[in-house]
Amino acid sequence: MNAIELKGLIKEYPGFRLGSLDLALPSGSIMGLVGENGAGKSTTIKLIMNAIKRDAGSVSVLGVDNQSRAFSGIKEDIGVVLDEAYYPEVLNSRDVGCVMAKTYRHWEPDTYENYLQRFGLPQDKAFRDYSRGMKMKLAIAVALSHQAKLLILDEATSGLDPMVRDEILDIFNEYTRQEDRSILLSSHIVSDLEKICDYIAFLHKGQLLLCEEKDRLLEEYALVRLSRERLADLPENSVVGVESDPYGVRALVRRDMVPHDLPLEHTNLEDIILFLAKGGTQE
Amino acid sequence: MKGLLFKDWKTLLKQMKVMLAITTLLACVPGTYLSAFALFYAAMMPITALAYDERAKWDELAAMMPYSVKEIVGSKYVLGLLLVLPVLALSVLSRLIVHSTPIAGENTMAMLITACLSLILMSINLPFMFHLGVEKGRLIYILLTCAFIVAGVNFAGKLADMANDIEVAMVTTVPLILLAVAAVALLLSYFISVRVYRARRG
């Protein structure tokens, strides 16, 4: 079963069109949703949660259409962390726990307490006095404390220092050890996604440029340094993106389409994303 | 909805402890005007709670939680009722116990009328606040409240002129009519707010 399935999803605003998106997050896996600011990541997440109306297409979450009556119950099984933790500033973590206990049927106060301790979050300090890292940790503690089967995280690690990010990524990894648990994680920080994701979806200007298994992507693409003349000899469609410098060109190519004698360099997710976003030849 | 109500109550309690204590005190003090102030103040609290939600961008988070639009909107109306009704009960009881005012007396009924008026005012204001937001809707809120008070004073004056036996009207027909009007206004307002809130979400 797919934890999330989008088919022909479209949302239009004046001056911006998202989609049509076709995407599936298999149950038990982690998908990274990457894209520049304004690419449509947050809009996609809002559409998945039915927080805004779609213009076309369908969205199924944990096997349920998100516009059906049953989806309200399914929301119990979804933990969401937005780019900021939007709790009233006068509440403290204990109050937030009480609100959530009255919100989620499967709320686990002990799990919540454990996360508060693990993250070093004080129980009596008002939310307004928290640092950004503490606020995000509180939101993550909430999302992990009601037996959610799906975590949806919108830029949950951005603005955090590398130590905290690493700690949180470990927790996400720990969370998906149970087979039926999945994560959709949107982020600018491609290195974070490379660390933990099984699948990568790349949104660019509202369009889904790719949605593939991370390992397959890294196997499929490679970097080459060559002269402009040699580049012109490469088969059509084998070159995904080109970057020029005074010494020649650097190109992202499809491994299986280029001659075997061409010296290929290993690439990483960040390069793939950048080359795909830039497309054609860059000076 | 319990979670939403708890969140609003905790937020109001922490932000406005002193004002809530003064409201409780005013509800117990003899004199219709002070109790009327307490009742109108209690009916304003849902708008204050909305303002705190707006500041925290709580709506964005609530949309991700297992709450329907009806629950999110309805919680503000329930909050209003949960604050106005105890203030009304407190003012009536204090009169009954401390001043031995009869339950069907003019003073007690004046409290009931004021409570109904405060709920009607809340019903008029809330859809605008859901539509515009409290920050943008502040001016409309002030204008509507002033218009409501002016209309109320004029209406009361005309009523006094028309009825020779105003004391009788005060304890019989007027409270009943206003109770019905308040109930209808609350229901209508709630349905409008739900539509407005849905449209605003986009």
Side-chain angles (χ1 to χ4, degrees), chain B residues 26-40 87 91 94-95 111 114:
Chain B
L26 289 181
C28 304
V29 170
T32 313
Y33 290 115
L34 292 178
S35 294
F37 174 79
L39 282 165
F40 275 99
V87 170
S91 15
S94 70
R95 274 162 185 75
M111 282 296 91
T114 314

Side-chain angles (χ1 to χ4, degrees), chain A residues 215-228:
Chain A
D215 293 340
R216 215 163 133 187
L217 267 177
L218 295 173
E219 280 168 21
E220 195 179 335
Y221 295 101
L223 280 174
V224 285
R225 284 193 167 277
L226 68 181
S227 65
R228 286 172 206 276

Side-chain angles (χ1 to χ4, degrees), chain B residues 36-37 39-41 43-44 47 117-118 120-126 128-129 137-153:
Chain B
F37 174 79
L39 282 165
F40 275 99
Y41 193 71
M44 272 168 54
I47 290 165
L117 290 173
S118 71
I120 293 169
L121 179 62
M122 182 181 95
S123 306
I124 294 170
N125 275 320
L126 272 176
F128 287 97
M129 298 302 116
R138 200 181 296 275
L139 185 66
I140 289 192
Y141 171 69
I142 294 167
L143 288 175
L144 280 174
T145 307
C146 290
F148 186 80
I149 291 168
V150 170
V153 168

